[in-house]
Amino acid sequence: MGILEKISEIEKEIARTQKNKATEYHLGLLKAKLAKYRAQLLEPSKSSSSKGEGFDVMKSGDARVALIGFPSVGKSTFLSLMTSTASEAASYEFTTLTCIPGVIEYKGANIQLLDLPGIIEGAAQGKGRGRQVIAVARTADVVIMMLDATKGEVQRSLLEKELESVGIRLNKHKPNIYFKPKKGGGISFNSTVTLTQCSEKLVQLILHEYKIFNAEVLFREDCSPDEFIDVIVGNRVYMPCLYVYNKIDQISMEEVDRLARKPDSVVISCGMKLNLDYLLEMLWEYLALTCIYTKKRGQRPDFTDAIILRKGASVEHVCHRIHRSLASQFKYALVWGTSTKYSPQRVGLTHTMEHEDVIQIVKK
């Protein structure tokens, strides 16, 4: 029996097993086995001599956004509208067969946008170049999931299922569980909160399934068995996702209103160029970027060339971005902007910068 057959057998058994107190251990073990087989499926087999052709796209710009969706939802049209790159768009499926990068210039930042080939059901198993598409999506900072507003919720649930099965967790945070395998001493289990979904016995059963017999486990929040398995596997990617519903000009106003009110969702029409500016605003928010402007002594700030950093970046990050040796020669910095109590404020390396702050660095 191949891995695919084993996966489908376990999925069927999980579907037909009733969820109650008596079956929680059995379900936990099944989920652990399922995660194990899926991990094996994603690892390229060592025996295969011919290498699959991947999408080797160099990371450039200040952030990377992956455009994922089923064929013919308007991904290529969206790329052509937002960037100066022309991606072939046509009314038939699978127009895009490789990864096409473009650059969005917004608020002084260069955001790399990747138009990936359409995903089909079974992409996680490698159907329709699905593995390459998913491998590129894992390297992105934000995923834009392009959906056809005329098709309802089917596409969204199918895509979420495909990405979930390869370890991409959308709009979720990393489970707050401390886990460390040891050389000996058995399994020491503790929790700082009351656990309603996991018990010590279930944790031990899951660890035994992964042939781990000595480890330290500390639950700092009430997590499910699935989240604990994610911590053991360790190669999960947690990233923000924007659900973008295209073709809203083909549905009723009531339906547009319903879709727009969903969390993490934006409604647009590439054909009629509707709501694209709001989508850019949302994308900027999800990327959590900040613009920092520099100033030389006795001169006006340079507002033409911003330094783009992640939200929460410190003065030290700014120094490293300007020159790698600047932090070692740093004396103090003068900062104007919302991160200070008064302008200019004299600050040290640990001061946290905010959007559109101006900084002047003084060396020793």
Side-chain angles (χ1 to χ4, degrees):
M1 190 189 270
I3 294 178
L4 281 173
E5 287 80 27
K6 285 177 183 172
I7 286 174
S8 101
E9 282 296 311
I10 292 171
E11 280 176 341
K12 281 175 192 165
E13 195 172 337
I14 288 173
R16 63 172 175 260
T17 306
Q18 282 189 328
K19 289 171 181 64
N20 55 43
K21 214 65 180 151
T23 60
E24 66 177 11
Y25 297 121
H26 179 58
L27 279 169
L29 274 178
L30 287 176
K31 284 172 180 174
K33 279 181 181 167
L34 187 62
K36 208 164 139 189
Y37 286 136
R38 278 180 174 159
Q40 285 174 18
L41 190 68
L42 287 173
E43 285 165 12
S45 57
K46 290 173 178 68
S47 57
S48 61
S49 55
S50 62
K51 285 186 178 176
E53 189 193 330
F55 304 132
D56 191 16
V57 182
M58 201 174 112
K59 205 165 184 174
S60 70
D62 302 298
R64 177 181 253 194
V65 176
L67 205 49
I68 283 182
F70 279 100
S72 289
V73 289
K75 297 189 299 298
S76 299
T77 314
F78 178 73
L79 181 90
S80 304
L81 279 174
M82 304 304 268
T83 70
S84 55
T85 311
S87 181
E88 191 187 338
S91 56
Y92 54 84
E93 293 192 346
F94 296 108
T95 318
T96 307
L97 295 171
T98 184
C99 176
I100 297 165
V103 175
I104 301 173
E105 291 176 8
Y106 185 67
K107 288 189 179 178
N110 290 330
I111 302 162
Q112 187 181 36
L113 183 67
L114 301 178
D115 177 18
L116 296 165
I119 283 185
I120 55 170
E121 214 176 330
Q125 280 86 45
K127 286 185 188 172
R129 309 203 74 183
R131 270 189 211 166
Q132 291 106 309
V133 171
I134 286 161
V136 172
R138 283 175 76 94
T139 66
D141 299 305
V142 168
V143 166
I144 288 183
M145 193 183 281
M146 202 72 147
L147 304 161
D148 190 332
T150 60
K151 300 263 173 79
E153 294 303 304
V154 189
Q155 290 190 343
R156 179 169 170 167
S157 54
L158 282 171
L159 280 171
E160 279 176 343
K161 192 180 161 196
E162 290 297 330
L163 295 176
E164 193 87 11
S165 65
V166 294
I168 295 177
R169 304 283 179 261
L170 302 175
N171 296 331
K172 286 182 184 173
H173 69 281
K174 203 173 180 178
N176 195 355
I177 300 172
Y178 172 77
F179 169 71
K180 188 183 180 185
K182 296 186 296 186
K183 292 263 166 53
I187 291 166
S188 74
F189 176 85
N190 278 303
S191 67
T192 57
V193 290
T194 309
L195 300 181
T196 58
Q197 305 174 70
C198 259
S199 66
E200 187 172 350
K201 187 186 169 188
L202 181 55
V203 165
Q204 286 179 342
L205 283 170
I206 291 170
L207 286 170
H208 289 175
E209 181 61 41
Y210 280 92
K211 304 213 169 21
I212 298 168
F213 303 101
N214 303 293
E216 269 182 71
V217 180
L218 171 64
F219 276 70
R220 293 195 184 103
E221 64 180 355
D222 187 14
C223 295
S224 66
D226 291 340
E227 288 173 316
F228 179 58
I229 291 164
D230 282 354
V231 171
I232 300 169
V233 177
N235 65 346
R236 303 302 190 226
V237 180
Y238 298 86
M239 59 170 67
C241 173
L242 259 178
Y243 300 98
V244 177
Y245 291 90
N246 188 21
K247 306 181 184 178
I248 55 163
D249 48 307
Q250 298 173 23
I251 56 172
S252 66
M253 279 306 291
E254 290 79 9
E255 183 68 3
V256 171
D257 187 55
R258 189 184 69 81
L259 292 173
R261 287 177 192 279
K262 281 174 162 282
D264 311 305
S265 300
V266 179
V267 290
I268 63 161
S269 168
C270 288
M272 297 182 79
K273 299 180 183 175
L274 295 173
N275 215 24
L276 296 175
D277 49 350
Y278 177 66
L279 171 56
L280 275 179
E281 271 176 48
M282 287 289 283
L283 185 58
W284 180 264
E285 211 174 288
Y286 275 61
L287 284 167
L289 297 174
T290 52
C291 292
I292 313 293
Y293 300 108
T294 54
K295 175 187 179 307
K296 287 180 181 172
R297 186 179 287 176
Q299 292 181 19
R300 292 180 68 80
D302 181 10
F303 291 118
T304 56
D305 189 18
I307 295 172
I308 309 294
L309 294 165
R310 299 265 147 197
K311 208 167 263 183
S314 65
V315 172
E316 192 172 358
H317 291 111
V318 178
C319 292
H320 286 308
R321 180 59 72 88
I322 296 167
H323 196 275
R324 62 177 180 270
S325 68
L326 190 57
S328 59
Q329 301 168 355
F330 179 86
K331 190 176 178 186
Y332 65 88
L334 293 171
V335 175
W336 292 257
T338 52
S339 69
T340 58
K341 290 174 184 168
Y342 46 86
S343 292
Q345 184 176 330
R346 187 169 163 162
V347 297
L349 282 172
T350 53
H351 177 78
T352 305
M353 304 294 288
E354 285 184 13
H355 186 51
E356 294 187 337
D357 275 1
V358 174
I359 187 169
Q360 177 187 318
I361 293 166
V362 179
K363 294 200 287 187
K364 284 175 187 169

